[in-house]
Amino acid sequence: MASPSDILKMISDDGYEFVDLRFCDLPGQVQHFTIPASELSEDGFDEGFGSDGSSIRGFQEIQESDMILVPDPDAALEDRFRDHKTLSLYCFVKDPVTGQPYDKDPRFVAKKAEEYLAGSGVAETSYWGPEAEFYMFDSARFDQNQHSAFYEVDSIEGAWNSGADEPGGNLAYKPRYKEGYFPVPPTDSLQDIRSEMMLVLESIGVPIECQHHEVATGGQGEIDMRFNSLLGMADNLLKYKYVIKNTARRHDKTVTFMPKPLYNDNGSGMHVHVSLWKKGRNLFAGDGYAGISETALYAIGGLLRHAPSLLAFTNPTTNSYKRLVPGFEAPVNLAYSSRNRSAAIRIPMYFSSEKAKRIEFRCPDPSCNPYLAFSAMVMAALDGIINKIHPGEPLDKDIYDLPPEELAKVAQTPGSLKEALKSLERDYSYLLKGDVFTQDVIETWIDYKMTHEVEALALRPHPWEFALYYDI
């Protein structure tokens, strides 16, 4: 645990010129403003720094726009991409009138989730390991107006460039569709950039386990972080995105965490590994199915029971549901298994150690706000444990070979963001326990997503509609 005096000493000893104050808006985008390092004092860690919240998505109305950012000394990192030596501090948001934490601050939601877990009597802490995939392109162009619409992404690795006339000659070695997992260079042309990303992440205190190319052509990759607590990992995931995007930009590349930027190849998911611990013991290790405990089984039951509403937070974009379709290793079946990767929950069997036993929720994608997604997940798991929600039998068969009568019994993930939001409207009481999510947060989330994303997309003609209907 760092203290304000530790941070001030670091600034002085290491010669920082600026302090970048960062916070997260409701959809999950990191926002910031910068102060001279001399402006930060111990009082600043208590009194905070004023800012305007009216332009921040999902935050204050214009008539109540002021907010206070309170730096968290435990969430400091050096920004390796600035010309001037800059220390970044993630902040909590406070209401300037009441002096109380702001309920729609995603970091505060995550903090409350950790406190609710510790006070539940079930567990003391949780450990999280998300596997966030991404695409690294050479260019990304898109636009839409009243009379036209297009997008175009390109990558020197793209299989579609196998016949392209490239400067200096086409040197081939483009990963074929669905065959990017994972040949050595020169087919994997992005190895060195991902290694640089790893080094930067480790230099700012984000431990890394491995990196590799992913299944899709066109520059899909993954870098795996070592597990951390709920709030710590949510912070680390946003640091991860920042480092990956900015490292790519140094190399004239552009990164997206969109779940489905390419048609007819694998999307980018974010399988989330989680375990609950108490008194130094992993509560998910046991002698039941796949080496898990009854507690883990009930946690699975809670996640599957609430999955339709949970996906409103873990898969929160319209693009998310272009990934969650059969045939692309997508976890569309609300079932669990030790080896079936189309099941929503898998119990990894890589390790026999009790400490390594966990469950893997495979539905989420990296477009989510990690503070809200992880908090919603732990609330669903706790609801399953407290109410002993049994998930039924595991689904270890090949789902694609099941006869129709058996397949009909397997529940599916929502087919769209609108369906997930409608499920959240019906099923959110488990999120309100311990005041982790408030009614206002739920209503604001649904309204924002419906108005700014679902309805906005529904109003716009799609190019494929012209291919289908222009000649009617």
Side-chain angles (χ1 to χ4, degrees), residues 203-265:
S203 77
I204 63 170
V206 179
I208 300 299
E209 293 184 340
C210 71
Q211 61 96 338
H212 57 83
H213 203 288
E214 260 298 342
V215 174
T217 190
Q220 192 184 36
E222 176 180 313
I223 300 174
D224 292 338
M225 296 174 281
R226 190 168 295 281
F227 65 87
N228 205 329
S229 64
L230 191 156
L231 179 58
M233 182 52 80
D235 282 343
N236 281 355
L237 185 55
L238 294 186
K239 297 172 190 175
Y240 172 93
K241 285 187 171 185
Y242 182 76
V243 166
I244 286 175
K245 290 176 182 178
N246 280 280
T247 305
R249 198 172 181 89
R250 277 181 172 173
H251 293 269
D252 297 321
K253 307 275 187 186
T254 178
V255 160
T256 182
F257 288 91
M258 276 181 70
K260 191 75 170 181
L262 288 187
Y263 167 66
N264 215 30
D265 209 339

XYZ file of all heavy atoms in Angstrom, residues 203-265:
501
model
N 7.441 -2.767 -17.077
C 8.165 -1.621 -16.519
C 7.268 -0.702 -15.705
O 7.749 0.062 -14.868
C 8.836 -0.821 -17.645
O 7.898 -0.016 -18.341
N 5.943 -0.760 -15.949
C 5.019 0.083 -15.172
C 4.284 -0.725 -14.099
O 3.302 -0.254 -13.522
C 4.008 0.806 -16.083
C 3.097 -0.187 -16.815
C 4.735 1.718 -17.071
C 1.930 0.456 -17.528
N 4.750 -1.953 -13.851
C 4.197 -2.737 -12.750
C 3.047 -3.645 -13.096
O 2.286 -4.054 -12.217
N 2.898 -3.990 -14.382
C 1.856 -4.938 -14.796
C 2.557 -6.239 -15.182
O 3.109 -6.344 -16.283
C 1.029 -4.392 -15.980
C -0.035 -5.418 -16.398
C 0.377 -3.065 -15.613
N 2.553 -7.251 -14.309
C 3.261 -8.512 -14.611
C 2.612 -9.254 -15.780
O 1.383 -9.313 -15.887
C 3.127 -9.315 -13.308
C 2.700 -8.336 -12.265
C 1.924 -7.274 -12.972
N 3.439 -9.812 -16.652
C 2.969 -10.487 -17.857
C 3.395 -11.957 -17.832
O 4.496 -12.294 -17.406
C 3.537 -9.806 -19.115
C 3.094 -8.342 -19.167
C 3.119 -10.544 -20.380
C 1.599 -8.134 -19.245
N 2.501 -12.830 -18.305
C 2.800 -14.262 -18.365
C 3.275 -14.698 -19.747
O 4.189 -15.507 -19.857
C 1.562 -15.065 -17.956
C 1.190 -14.880 -16.476
C 0.032 -15.753 -16.057
O -0.725 -16.219 -16.944
O -0.143 -15.975 -14.844
N 2.633 -14.200 -20.811
C 3.039 -14.604 -22.161
C 2.376 -13.697 -23.185
O 1.485 -12.913 -22.863
C 2.676 -16.067 -22.433
S 0.899 -16.362 -22.622
N 2.833 -13.823 -24.430
C 2.182 -13.141 -25.553
C 2.210 -14.070 -26.745
O 3.098 -14.905 -26.888
C 2.860 -11.799 -25.853
C 4.327 -11.896 -26.248
C 4.571 -11.896 -27.758
O 3.679 -12.223 -28.526
N 5.790 -11.560 -28.159
N 1.235 -13.907 -27.659
C 1.204 -14.745 -28.854
C 0.246 -14.156 -29.885
O -0.581 -13.300 -29.590
C 0.781 -16.179 -28.511
C -0.551 -16.288 -27.821
N -1.740 -16.282 -28.501
C -0.865 -16.398 -26.499
C -2.741 -16.399 -27.630
N -2.243 -16.462 -26.416
N 0.400 -14.629 -31.106
C -0.558 -14.312 -32.164
C -1.852 -15.054 -31.862
O -1.842 -16.118 -31.239
C 0.000 -14.744 -33.525
C -0.594 -14.004 -34.688
N -1.870 -14.203 -35.138
C -0.052 -13.052 -35.498
C -2.110 -13.416 -36.181
N -1.019 -12.701 -36.422
N -2.967 -14.487 -32.290
C -4.245 -15.176 -32.100
C -4.722 -15.802 -33.408
O -4.037 -15.761 -34.427
C -5.297 -14.217 -31.519
C -5.502 -14.371 -30.006
C -6.010 -15.760 -29.612
O -6.528 -16.492 -30.489
O -5.868 -16.126 -28.431
N -5.918 -16.369 -33.369
C -6.413 -17.230 -34.445
C -6.597 -16.495 -35.772
O -6.294 -17.025 -36.836
C -7.752 -17.881 -34.025
C -8.359 -18.666 -35.184
C -7.542 -18.789 -32.819
N -7.081 -15.270 -35.724
C -7.483 -14.592 -36.954
C -6.289 -14.070 -37.743
O -5.210 -13.820 -37.199
C -8.425 -13.438 -36.632
N -6.507 -13.882 -39.028
C -5.552 -13.176 -39.864
C -5.636 -11.679 -39.550
O -6.441 -11.251 -38.711
C -5.850 -13.433 -41.358
O -4.775 -12.929 -42.140
C -7.136 -12.759 -41.801
N -4.789 -10.887 -40.186
C -4.926 -9.439 -40.058
C -4.389 -8.849 -38.778
O -4.764 -7.735 -38.407
N -3.527 -9.575 -38.048
C -2.846 -8.970 -36.910
C -3.507 -9.153 -35.567
O -3.334 -8.317 -34.676
N -4.264 -10.235 -35.369
C -4.890 -10.464 -34.059
C -3.865 -11.020 -33.076
O -3.087 -11.920 -33.407
C -6.077 -11.420 -34.173
C -6.917 -11.455 -32.899
C -8.048 -12.472 -32.953
O -7.900 -13.549 -33.525
N -9.180 -12.130 -32.356
N -3.866 -10.489 -31.850
C -2.914 -10.937 -30.846
C -3.492 -10.941 -29.452
O -4.622 -10.500 -29.222
N -2.681 -11.444 -28.519
C -3.083 -11.499 -27.108
C -1.829 -11.428 -26.241
O -0.799 -12.031 -26.569
C -3.846 -12.787 -26.821
C -4.235 -12.986 -25.358
C -4.989 -14.302 -25.139
O -5.912 -14.576 -25.936
O -4.633 -15.044 -24.217
N -1.923 -10.680 -25.151
C -0.875 -10.627 -24.131
C -1.554 -10.906 -22.803
O -2.521 -10.235 -22.447
C -0.175 -9.253 -24.111
C 0.474 -8.967 -25.473
C 0.867 -9.198 -23.002
C 1.064 -7.569 -25.603
N -1.072 -11.903 -22.068
C -1.736 -12.339 -20.840
C -1.054 -11.762 -19.608
O 0.155 -11.910 -19.418
C -1.749 -13.867 -20.747
C -2.639 -14.493 -21.804
O -3.538 -13.785 -22.296
O -2.426 -15.661 -22.144
N -1.855 -11.108 -18.766
C -1.372 -10.531 -17.512
C -1.479 -11.543 -16.382
O -2.373 -12.391 -16.382
C -2.202 -9.296 -17.146
C -2.084 -8.151 -18.124
S -3.206 -6.785 -17.726
C -4.762 -7.427 -18.366
N -0.585 -11.417 -15.391
C -0.693 -12.241 -14.194
C -1.884 -11.775 -13.361
O -2.224 -10.602 -13.352
C 0.597 -12.173 -13.377
C 0.655 -13.195 -12.232
C 2.047 -13.289 -11.644
N 3.022 -13.807 -12.608
C 3.157 -15.084 -12.917
N 2.391 -15.996 -12.346
N 4.064 -15.480 -13.796
N -2.516 -12.706 -12.670
C -3.744 -12.420 -11.926
C -3.554 -11.317 -10.883
O -2.451 -11.062 -10.405
C -4.266 -13.696 -11.251
C -3.356 -14.243 -10.180
C -3.446 -13.810 -8.871
C -2.401 -15.213 -10.482
C -2.609 -14.302 -7.882
C -1.550 -15.719 -9.507
C -1.655 -15.259 -8.199
N -4.671 -10.686 -10.513
C -4.652 -9.618 -9.518
C -6.033 -9.554 -8.882
O -6.965 -10.244 -9.297
C -4.289 -8.281 -10.186
C -3.673 -7.279 -9.221
O -3.987 -7.279 -8.031
N -2.795 -6.423 -9.727
N -6.180 -8.689 -7.874
C -7.471 -8.477 -7.228
C -8.427 -7.792 -8.196
O -8.021 -7.314 -9.265
C -7.298 -7.615 -5.976
O -6.828 -6.319 -6.345
N -9.696 -7.689 -7.832
C -10.709 -7.142 -8.737
C -10.352 -5.718 -9.164
O -10.231 -5.423 -10.368
C -12.084 -7.186 -8.063
C -13.316 -6.905 -8.928
C -14.556 -7.533 -8.319
C -13.554 -5.428 -9.168
N -10.193 -4.809 -8.204
C -9.876 -3.419 -8.534
C -8.502 -3.310 -9.185
O -8.320 -2.577 -10.167
C -9.948 -2.542 -7.277
C -9.613 -1.056 -7.460
C -10.539 -0.406 -8.482
C -9.699 -0.318 -6.121
N -7.531 -4.057 -8.656
C -6.182 -4.018 -9.228
C -6.157 -4.479 -10.661
O -5.474 -3.892 -11.511
N -6.904 -5.541 -10.982
C -6.909 -6.045 -12.351
C -7.689 -5.120 -13.279
O -7.312 -4.939 -14.449
C -7.488 -7.463 -12.404
C -7.481 -8.054 -13.807
S -5.864 -7.969 -14.643
C -5.025 -9.365 -13.909
N -8.773 -4.513 -12.783
C -9.501 -3.563 -13.627
C -8.597 -2.381 -13.982
O -8.566 -1.932 -15.139
C -10.761 -3.090 -12.916
N -7.842 -1.881 -12.995
C -6.851 -0.834 -13.282
C -5.838 -1.319 -14.308
O -5.510 -0.619 -15.275
C -6.101 -0.434 -12.004
C -6.896 0.492 -11.090
O -7.882 1.094 -11.554
O -6.515 0.604 -9.906
N -5.326 -2.535 -14.102
C -4.296 -3.067 -14.997
C -4.799 -3.251 -16.421
O -4.051 -3.070 -17.389
C -3.745 -4.388 -14.464
C -2.736 -4.199 -13.347
O -2.366 -3.059 -13.023
N -2.285 -5.281 -12.747
N -6.077 -3.611 -16.558
C -6.619 -3.805 -17.900
C -6.659 -2.480 -18.663
O -6.382 -2.439 -19.876
C -8.010 -4.426 -17.839
C -8.644 -4.793 -19.175
C -7.743 -5.716 -19.996
C -10.006 -5.437 -18.971
N -6.967 -1.392 -17.975
C -6.959 -0.094 -18.645
C -5.527 0.358 -18.939
O -5.267 0.986 -19.974
C -7.695 0.945 -17.797
C -9.193 0.684 -17.630
C -9.867 1.834 -16.904
C -9.880 0.462 -18.983
N -4.584 0.040 -18.059
C -3.167 0.310 -18.357
C -2.731 -0.516 -19.580
O -1.988 -0.034 -20.449
C -2.294 -0.040 -17.152
C -2.559 0.789 -15.902
C -1.781 0.237 -14.707
C -2.194 0.883 -13.406
N -1.504 0.252 -12.237
N -3.175 -1.752 -19.626
C -2.868 -2.665 -20.736
C -3.329 -2.075 -22.064
O -2.574 -2.013 -23.041
C -3.587 -3.983 -20.418
C -3.623 -5.067 -21.451
C -2.662 -6.066 -21.478
C -4.682 -5.160 -22.363
C -2.733 -7.117 -22.395
C -4.756 -6.200 -23.279
C -3.784 -7.175 -23.294
O -3.862 -8.201 -24.203
N -4.567 -1.602 -22.102
C -5.095 -1.010 -23.330
C -4.269 0.219 -23.729
O -3.960 0.419 -24.916
C -6.560 -0.615 -23.148
C -7.536 -1.769 -23.162
C -8.957 -1.234 -23.147
C -9.977 -2.329 -23.376
N -11.355 -1.791 -23.492
N -3.942 1.040 -22.752
C -3.195 2.267 -23.018
C -1.825 1.950 -23.607
O -1.405 2.545 -24.608
C -3.051 3.062 -21.721
C -2.340 4.390 -21.875
C -3.000 5.484 -22.433
C -1.026 4.554 -21.459
C -2.361 6.707 -22.575
C -0.373 5.775 -21.603
C -1.055 6.849 -22.162
O -0.412 8.065 -22.299
N -1.127 1.008 -22.999
C 0.217 0.648 -23.458
C 0.167 0.013 -24.849
O 0.987 0.336 -25.731
C 0.907 -0.295 -22.447
C 2.150 -0.939 -23.053
C 1.265 0.468 -21.182
N -0.777 -0.883 -25.072
C -0.854 -1.575 -26.358
C -1.181 -0.595 -27.485
O -0.557 -0.614 -28.551
C -1.876 -2.726 -26.276
C -1.271 -3.870 -25.454
C -2.273 -3.217 -27.661
C -2.204 -5.006 -25.185
N -2.137 0.287 -27.256
C -2.496 1.263 -28.295
C -1.338 2.210 -28.598
O -1.061 2.511 -29.763
C -3.722 2.068 -27.847
C -5.020 1.276 -27.808
C -6.148 2.138 -27.259
C -7.455 1.373 -27.168
N -8.542 2.202 -26.595
N -0.681 2.696 -27.556
C 0.378 3.682 -27.770
C 1.665 3.068 -28.305
O 2.379 3.701 -29.087
C 0.639 4.451 -26.467
C -0.396 5.539 -26.236
O -0.315 6.615 -26.804
N -1.394 5.233 -25.418
N 1.971 1.831 -27.915
C 3.132 1.151 -28.491
C 2.909 0.900 -29.974
O 3.805 1.117 -30.805
C 3.415 -0.177 -27.769
O 3.566 0.060 -26.367
C 4.677 -0.829 -28.301
N 1.718 0.456 -30.324
C 1.403 0.228 -31.741
C 1.537 1.523 -32.535
O 2.073 1.525 -33.658
C -0.015 -0.330 -31.868
N 1.075 2.613 -31.964
C 1.132 3.893 -32.671
C 2.572 4.319 -32.936
O 2.875 4.947 -33.957
C 0.388 4.958 -31.865
C 0.018 6.193 -32.683
C -0.890 7.104 -31.873
N -1.296 8.276 -32.623
C -2.375 8.349 -33.403
N -3.156 7.279 -33.530
N -2.683 9.459 -34.039
N 3.486 3.997 -32.008
C 4.910 4.277 -32.227
C 5.431 3.602 -33.494
O 6.388 4.056 -34.119
C 5.731 3.763 -31.039
C 5.782 4.697 -29.846
C 6.650 4.056 -28.772
N 6.911 4.959 -27.665
C 7.535 4.606 -26.543
N 7.945 3.349 -26.398
N 7.733 5.476 -25.577
N 4.807 2.480 -33.846
C 5.238 1.714 -35.013
C 4.310 1.952 -36.206
O 4.287 1.140 -37.149
C 5.278 0.224 -34.666
C 6.340 -0.122 -33.665
N 7.619 -0.489 -34.026
C 6.314 -0.138 -32.298
C 8.339 -0.721 -32.940
N 7.575 -0.520 -31.878
N 3.566 3.065 -36.171
C 2.619 3.405 -37.247
C 1.583 2.314 -37.472
O 1.173 2.036 -38.608
C 3.378 3.707 -38.543
C 4.289 4.915 -38.417
O 3.878 5.905 -37.761
O 5.418 4.873 -38.937
N 1.181 1.677 -36.365
C 0.085 0.706 -36.382
C -1.063 1.262 -35.539
O -0.886 2.199 -34.750
C 0.532 -0.639 -35.791
C 1.795 -1.229 -36.399
C 1.510 -2.013 -37.645
C 2.750 -2.746 -38.142
N 2.517 -3.405 -39.438
N -2.230 0.664 -35.689
C -3.383 1.078 -34.888
C -4.064 -0.159 -34.317
O -4.258 -1.155 -35.034
C -4.374 1.911 -35.723
O -5.516 2.260 -34.912
C -4.857 1.181 -36.967
N -4.388 -0.108 -33.033
C -4.976 -1.250 -32.326
C -6.443 -0.983 -32.033
O -6.830 0.135 -31.677
C -4.211 -1.525 -31.008
C -5.062 -2.337 -30.034
C -2.911 -2.260 -31.296
N -7.253 -2.008 -32.182
C -8.650 -1.934 -31.748
C -8.984 -3.131 -30.859
O -8.506 -4.247 -31.096
C -9.628 -1.889 -32.931
O -10.975 -1.773 -32.418
C -9.555 -3.138 -33.795
N -9.794 -2.856 -29.838
C -10.333 -3.907 -28.977
C -11.797 -4.190 -29.323
O -12.505 -4.816 -28.539
C -10.188 -3.508 -27.508
C -8.759 -3.562 -27.019
C -7.943 -2.453 -27.098
C -8.234 -4.733 -26.498
C -6.619 -2.495 -26.662
C -6.914 -4.798 -26.061
C -6.100 -3.673 -26.143
N -12.244 -3.708 -30.479
C -13.580 -4.074 -30.970
C -13.712 -5.594 -30.999
O -12.788 -6.290 -31.442
C -13.808 -3.552 -32.385
C -14.266 -2.118 -32.489
S -14.507 -1.659 -34.228
C -15.961 -2.633 -34.650
N -14.847 -6.122 -30.574
C -15.002 -7.586 -30.571
C -15.000 -8.212 -31.972
O -14.561 -9.336 -32.139
C -16.355 -7.803 -29.881
C -16.595 -6.547 -29.108
C -15.968 -5.450 -29.902
N -15.495 -7.500 -32.988
C -15.618 -8.127 -34.314
C -15.335 -7.116 -35.425
O -16.238 -6.668 -36.132
C -17.031 -8.710 -34.474
C -17.216 -9.619 -35.678
C -16.591 -10.982 -35.507
C -17.014 -11.918 -36.646
N -16.445 -13.257 -36.498
N -14.066 -6.758 -35.625
C -13.753 -5.811 -36.700
C -13.656 -6.443 -38.076
O -13.724 -5.737 -39.076
C -12.407 -5.241 -36.267
C -11.773 -6.342 -35.491
C -12.895 -7.051 -34.793
N -13.455 -7.776 -38.151
C -13.346 -8.467 -39.433
C -14.531 -9.393 -39.638
O -14.916 -10.130 -38.725
C -12.065 -9.306 -39.501
C -10.719 -8.604 -39.628
C -9.634 -9.654 -39.859
C -10.715 -7.577 -40.737
N -15.064 -9.382 -40.851
C -16.116 -10.319 -41.222
C -15.523 -11.695 -41.511
O -14.467 -11.820 -42.131
C -16.860 -9.797 -42.452
C -17.754 -10.800 -43.125
C -18.888 -11.298 -42.469
C -17.474 -11.279 -44.395
C -19.706 -12.230 -43.075
C -18.289 -12.206 -45.023
C -19.405 -12.687 -44.349
O -20.217 -13.622 -44.950
N -16.162 -12.724 -41.025
C -15.860 -14.117 -41.384
C -14.508 -14.612 -40.872
O -13.909 -15.513 -41.449
C -15.941 -14.322 -42.903
C -16.479 -15.703 -43.242
O -17.263 -16.274 -42.486
N -16.070 -16.240 -44.383
N -14.018 -14.014 -39.788
C -12.882 -14.566 -39.069
C -13.149 -14.362 -37.583
O -14.119 -13.700 -37.203
C -11.564 -13.910 -39.492
C -10.374 -14.871 -39.343
O -10.497 -15.844 -38.567
O -9.343 -14.650 -39.988
